[in-house]
Amino acid sequence: MADLKDFRLECPLPLNDNERVQLAHGGGGRRMHELLENLLLPSFGNDMLLERHDGATLNIAGAKLAFTTDSYVVRPLFFPGGDIGTLAINGTVNDLAMCGARPLYLSSAFILEEGMPMETLRRVVESMRVSARAAKVQLVTGDTKVVDKGKGDEIFINTAGIGVVAHGLTISPRSVRSGDAILLSGDVGRHGIAIMATREGLSFESAIESDCAPLWEPVAALLAAGVEIHCLRDLTRGGLSSGLIEIAETAGLRMAIEESLVPVREEVMGACEILGLEPLYLANEGRFLAFVPQRDVERGLEILRRFDVSRGAACIGEVRVHPAGLVTMKSRLGTERILDMLSGEQLPRIC
Amino acid sequence: MADLKDFRLECPLPLNDNERVQLAHGGGGRRMHELLENLLLPSFGNDMLLERHDGATLNIAGAKLAFTTDSYVVRPLFFPGGDIGTLAINGTVNDLAMCGARPLYLSSAFILEEGMPMETLRRVVESMRVSARAAKVQLVTGDTKVVDKGKGDEIFINTAGIGVVAHGLTISPRSVRSGDAILLSGDVGRHGIAIMATREGLSFESAIESDCAPLWEPVAALLAAGVEIHCLRDLTRGGLSSGLIEIAETAGLRMAIEESLVPVREEVMGACEILGLEPLYLANEGRFLAFVPQRDVERGLEILRRFDVSRGAACIGEVRVHPAGLVTMKSRLGTERILDMLSGEQLPRIC
C-alpha cells in the first residue's frame, strides 16, 4: 500500500484575500477544510477547537460538559422525513451525543426574511417543539432577527447545545487506535437523496425519507454497557467519506473499509445512479460511526440493533497504521481505492 | 397616577397565519414581543424561557451556569467604534454578564453569502479574535454555512455563550423590588447613531462612535463588593425604554425615571434632532441597567465609575408599585409621560 501515500493531497494553499466565498466553503468538503485550517483555526485556535470534534468538551466549576453549535440553512425547508426544524434540533442533539454527552439544553436563534409567511414559521416552530420533546432536550434561550426581503431565504436557524458528560472516556479522533473496528449505525445516503429529490421534483416508486433522528439513545446504551468507545462521528455534510477522512487526518491513521459492508438501500442506490451521485458522499442526519476495540464489536452491534435508529448497524472496516491519514475502500470487485474529500460541493445547503 | 393605567396597552393580538414576517418582528419592540408571547414562548415554554431574561441560568452536574445566544445581522458590517465581529463577541459576553455570570466560552457560527470577499471575512474574524481576547473568552466550537448569492447579506454571525455563576443572588426581572434604585452605566444612544450615520452617509463634526464594549468587569466588581444586585439588563435593540418596559412588565412594577438624569451626549442629542430619533429608544452595545436597593446606590455608582466602560454611571430613577407594568418619565419641564415600546422599528438591523 506504500504507493498510496503519493496520492495524499498537498497541504491546502493559503486563502487569497482576492478570493470570494464559494458555496463549496460550506459544503463539508476540501474547500471548507481550507477555510477552517487557514482562517478560523489560526484565529480562534485553542486546544478544544484543535480537537476538530463535533463539539467542545469543557470542565466548568467541576462539571464536565459538551458544547456545540450549528446553523441550518437547508432548502427546501420541508422534505420527506423532516424539515429545517427537526434538523435544527436533531443536528445539535447529535453533535452533543457524538461527544458522549447527554443532550440537555438548546438555544435557538432565528434569522427570518421579511415577508416570509407566519404560517411557515409556525410549522417550523411546531417541528422544533415536537423534536425537542422526543430528544428530551429543553429550549431555554433564544433570539429572533429579521432581515430585509431579498437578504435572507425565509428562515435560517441556529441552535447551540449543552450536554453533560458522565463517563470517563476520551471520545475524540485522537483516541482512535490502530486495530479499532469501524461501526456504522445504519444505511447511508437517505437525507441527501430526500433533499435532492424534493429540490429537483423527482419522485421515486417509494418515497425516500430523510433519516433525520436523534442519536443519543444508542450512544447512551453503548456507554452504559461499558463499550470502550474511542470516537464517535455523525455523518452529515460530506457523508460517510468525509467523516472517515476527517478522522483519518486528525488521528494520523488509515481507515480501511469495504464497500460491500456499507449498507445502502436499493432505492438510494437507484436514485444515485439516476442523479450521478455517490452514496458515500451523501449527507445523513441520523447516522454515526463508532470506533471501538475489536473485542467490543459483537456486543456493540447487538446493542445498536436494539434501537430503531440504529437497527441496521454494521461493522464496515477497521483502522490501520499505514498510509497515515488516508481512507481506503475495497470495492466489490476486490480493488482498493482512496476516498478523498470532494473539493467542490455535491449538494449545497443540505442542512 | 391612577389614571395612567388606562394607557396600558391591550394584550397583543394573536398572530394571524396569513400574516407575514415584518422587519419590526426583529426590532426589539412591540411586534417582536407579540411573536415571542404568541408563538415562541407557548411552544418552547419552560421556567427558564419564561424568566424573559438575557440568558438562561442552569444547574448542571453541580455547576451553576448561564447560557445565551444571539445572531448578528447588522448593516453596515463596519461602523465607527466596531463591526459585526466586535458585536458578535461583546453582545453575547454582555448577555452572560447580565445573568451575573463570568463569560467563559463562546461558539461562533457563520452564515456566509456566496461571492462575499474573503477579505471581509478575514477582517471580521480578526475583530472577533481581538474582542474575544479583550473579554477573556475562548471560542471553542463553531460552524460555517454558505448560502447562494442573493439569499444572504455577506455575513451573519451567531454566537452562543456559557458563563459561570459564582454568587448566590437571583438576578432576574422578578427580583426587582419597589424602592430599588435604577442605575444606568453611562450615556445612551451612541451605537444607534453610529450605525444610522454610517448608513445614511452623514458626518458630524466629531464622529460618534458605537459604545460597543464588554461589560463583565464592572458587573464583577459590583458582585465582588457585595452590592445586592436584583436585576441587570443591557440596553440593545429598543434602547433604554424597551429595557425598562420589559422589566416593568415582567416584574409587575412601575419604573419611574427622570429625563434630566439620563446621560445623553450633546452630539447624540444633536444627531437625534436632525434625524428625528428618540435617544431613549436608540440601541446601545455597552450600556446596562442595574437594579439595587437604595442603600447600595452610592457604593454602586462609585464602583461603576472606576471602569472606563461605566465611567458615566448615574442613578436615573426608582422602582414603584403603581401603576404596575409601566415606565414613566418626568420631563425636564416637570410633566410626566408614559414610555411605550415602539410597535414598529426605529432602526432595523442595528445588531
Side-chain angles (χ1 to χ4, degrees):
Chain A
M1 296 296 297
D3 54 335
L4 285 181
K5 74 174 179 301
D6 298 327
F7 289 81
R8 184 119 172 59
L9 268 198
E10 296 293 306
C11 179
L13 292 170
L15 294 171
N16 182 333
D17 267 357
N18 296 325
E19 207 186 337
R20 291 179 177 270
V21 170
Q22 303 164 17
L23 278 172
H25 284 118
R30 187 59 66 192
R31 300 309 304 274
M32 192 171 95
H33 281 255
E34 283 176 28
L35 190 65
L36 278 172
E37 298 289 331
N38 289 291
L39 180 57
L40 301 176
L41 292 176
S43 295
F44 302 150
N46 53 56
D47 292 350
M48 281 157 286
L49 264 184
L50 296 173
E51 282 286 315
R52 291 165 176 72
H53 200 30
D54 288 323
T57 304
L58 310 170
N59 283 292
I60 309 181
K64 193 172 171 193
L65 305 175
F67 181 35
T68 187
T69 189
D70 263 322
S71 295
Y72 300 87
V73 299
V74 68
R75 291 303 299 191
L77 298 177
F78 303 91
F79 48 82
D83 59 46
I84 191 171
T86 53
L87 279 188
I89 301 297
N90 289 332
T92 295
V93 159
N94 292 348
D95 281 345
L96 292 172
M98 296 304 106
C99 300
R102 175 183 297 278
L104 293 176
Y105 300 108
L106 263 54
S107 64
S108 71
F110 298 96
I111 297 177
L112 308 177
E113 184 192 9
E114 183 187 18
M116 82 171 275
M118 197 61 82
E119 166 63 9
T120 304
L121 178 59
R122 193 185 295 277
R123 285 173 66 194
V124 169
V125 165
E126 176 60 14
S127 277
M128 292 176 76
R129 188 187 68 76
V130 170
S131 301
R133 178 167 296 195
K136 300 192 177 96
V137 292
Q138 282 192 292
L139 289 153
V140 292
T141 189
D143 179 50
T144 307
K145 295 288 192 304
V146 182
V147 296
D148 331 51
K149 198 165 173 65
K151 299 295 183 184
D153 201 5
E154 293 200 300
I155 180 168
F156 302 141
I157 305 176
N158 177 280
T159 49
I162 298 179
V164 65
V165 178
H167 56 78
L169 302 171
T170 302
I171 296 176
S172 155
R174 294 180 201 285
S175 299
V176 173
R177 295 285 169 265
S178 170
D180 280 359
I182 304 172
L183 308 186
L184 169 63
S185 71
D187 67 297
V188 296
R190 276 196 279 139
H191 179 70
I193 292 294
I195 294 286
M196 190 63 165
T198 313
R199 220 180 263 175
E200 304 295 323
L202 301 175
S203 60
F204 301 106
E205 239 169 277
S206 50
I208 297 172
E209 294 206 333
S210 168
D211 59 335
C212 185
L215 296 173
W216 168 244
E217 282 202 345
V219 171
L222 292 174
L223 289 169
V227 170
E228 188 185 315
I229 301 172
H230 291 167
C231 187
L232 298 165
R233 177 62 53 110
D234 63 338
L235 304 171
T236 56
R237 282 182 284 181
L240 173 62
S241 298
S242 301
L244 285 168
I245 293 163
E246 285 166 13
I247 290 172
E249 292 186 352
T250 308
L253 292 166
R254 169 184 168 201
M255 310 285 130
I257 66 165
E258 290 197 31
E259 188 171 16
S260 64
L261 300 176
V262 177
V264 183
R265 290 199 185 178
E266 213 172 300
E267 60 265 35
V268 168
M269 201 60 101
C272 279
E273 277 163 22
I274 294 167
L275 296 165
L277 299 171
E278 267 268 35
L280 302 198
Y281 289 90
L282 285 177
N284 312 275
E285 289 293 336
R287 293 293 175 262
F288 67 101
L289 294 172
F291 294 79
V292 301
Q294 294 291 340
R295 66 172 179 281
D296 281 334
V297 170
E298 284 314 309
R299 203 158 51 101
L301 289 174
E302 183 272 312
I303 291 166
L304 289 174
R305 289 172 183 154
R306 289 181 205 160
F307 299 89
D308 277 341
V309 74
S310 49
R311 192 147 333 265
C315 179
I316 62 166
E318 66 172 37
V319 179
R320 295 189 196 154
V321 176
H322 297 293
L326 287 190
V327 177
T328 60
M329 183 168 77
K330 191 187 266 184
S331 76
R332 286 186 169 79
L333 302 171
T335 58
E336 197 142 42
R337 67 178 176 107
I338 293 172
L339 296 184
D340 197 14
M341 275 191 205
L342 298 181
S343 67
E345 170 115 34
Q346 184 159 262
L347 287 175
R349 299 184 59 187
I350 199 79
C351 62
Chain B
M1 296 298 295
D3 54 335
L4 286 181
K5 72 175 182 297
D6 297 326
F7 289 80
R8 185 124 171 57
L9 269 199
E10 296 292 307
C11 179
L13 292 169
L15 294 170
N16 183 332
D17 266 358
N18 296 323
E19 209 187 336
R20 291 178 177 271
V21 169
Q22 303 164 18
L23 279 172
H25 283 119
R30 187 61 65 192
R31 301 308 305 272
M32 193 171 95
H33 281 254
E34 282 177 29
L35 189 66
L36 278 172
E37 298 290 330
N38 289 290
L39 180 56
L40 301 177
L41 292 176
S43 294
F44 301 150
N46 53 58
D47 292 349
M48 280 155 286
L49 264 186
L50 295 174
E51 282 286 315
R52 290 164 178 71
H53 200 30
D54 287 324
T57 304
L58 310 169
N59 283 291
I60 308 180
K64 192 171 170 194
L65 304 175
F67 181 34
T68 187
T69 189
D70 262 321
S71 295
Y72 300 86
V73 300
V74 69
R75 291 304 299 192
L77 297 177
F78 303 92
F79 48 83
D83 59 45
I84 192 172
T86 53
L87 278 187
I89 301 298
N90 290 331
T92 294
V93 160
N94 292 347
D95 281 345
L96 293 171
M98 295 304 106
C99 302
R102 175 184 297 279
L104 294 175
Y105 299 109
L106 262 54
S107 64
S108 71
F110 298 96
I111 298 177
L112 308 177
E113 185 191 8
E114 182 188 18
M116 82 172 277
M118 197 60 83
E119 166 63 8
T120 304
L121 178 60
R122 192 186 295 277
R123 285 174 65 196
V124 169
V125 166
E126 176 61 14
S127 279
M128 293 177 75
R129 188 187 69 74
V130 170
S131 302
R133 178 166 297 193
K136 301 192 177 94
V137 292
Q138 282 192 291
L139 288 153
V140 292
T141 189
D143 179 50
T144 307
K145 295 289 192 304
V146 182
V147 296
D148 331 50
K149 197 166 176 60
K151 299 296 183 185
D153 200 6
E154 293 199 299
I155 179 167
F156 301 141
I157 305 175
N158 177 281
T159 49
I162 298 179
V164 66
V165 178
H167 56 78
L169 301 171
T170 302
I171 295 176
S172 155
R174 293 180 202 284
S175 299
V176 174
R177 294 286 169 264
S178 171
D180 280 359
I182 305 172
L183 308 186
L184 170 62
S185 71
D187 67 296
V188 296
R190 276 196 280 141
H191 180 69
I193 293 293
I195 295 287
M196 189 64 164
T198 313
R199 220 181 264 173
E200 303 295 322
L202 301 176
S203 60
F204 301 105
E205 238 170 276
S206 50
I208 297 171
E209 294 206 333
S210 169
D211 59 334
C212 186
L215 295 173
W216 168 243
E217 282 200 345
V219 171
L222 291 175
L223 290 168
V227 170
E228 188 186 313
I229 301 171
H230 292 167
C231 187
L232 297 165
R233 176 62 54 109
D234 63 337
L235 303 172
T236 56
R237 282 182 286 181
L240 173 62
S241 299
S242 302
L244 285 169
I245 294 163
E246 285 166 14
I247 290 172
E249 292 186 353
T250 308
L253 292 166
R254 169 185 168 200
M255 309 286 132
I257 66 165
E258 289 196 32
E259 190 172 15
S260 63
L261 301 175
V262 177
V264 184
R265 289 199 185 179
E266 214 173 299
E267 60 265 36
V268 168
M269 201 61 97
C272 278
E273 276 163 22
I274 294 166
L275 297 164
L277 298 171
E278 267 267 36
L280 303 196
Y281 289 91
L282 285 176
N284 312 276
E285 289 293 336
R287 293 293 174 261
F288 67 102
L289 294 173
F291 293 80
V292 302
Q294 293 292 341
R295 66 173 178 280
D296 281 336
V297 170
E298 284 314 309
R299 203 157 52 101
L301 289 175
E302 184 273 311
I303 291 165
L304 290 174
R305 289 171 183 157
R306 287 181 207 161
F307 299 89
D308 277 342
V309 74
S310 49
R311 193 149 329 268
C315 178
I316 62 166
E318 65 171 39
V319 179
R320 296 191 196 152
V321 176
H322 297 293
L326 286 191
V327 178
T328 60
M329 182 168 77
K330 192 188 265 183
S331 76
R332 285 186 170 79
L333 303 171
T335 57
E336 198 143 40
R337 67 179 177 107
I338 293 171
L339 296 184
D340 198 14
M341 275 189 204
L342 297 181
S343 67
E345 169 116 35
Q346 183 160 263
L347 287 175
R349 299 184 60 188
I350 199 76
C351 61

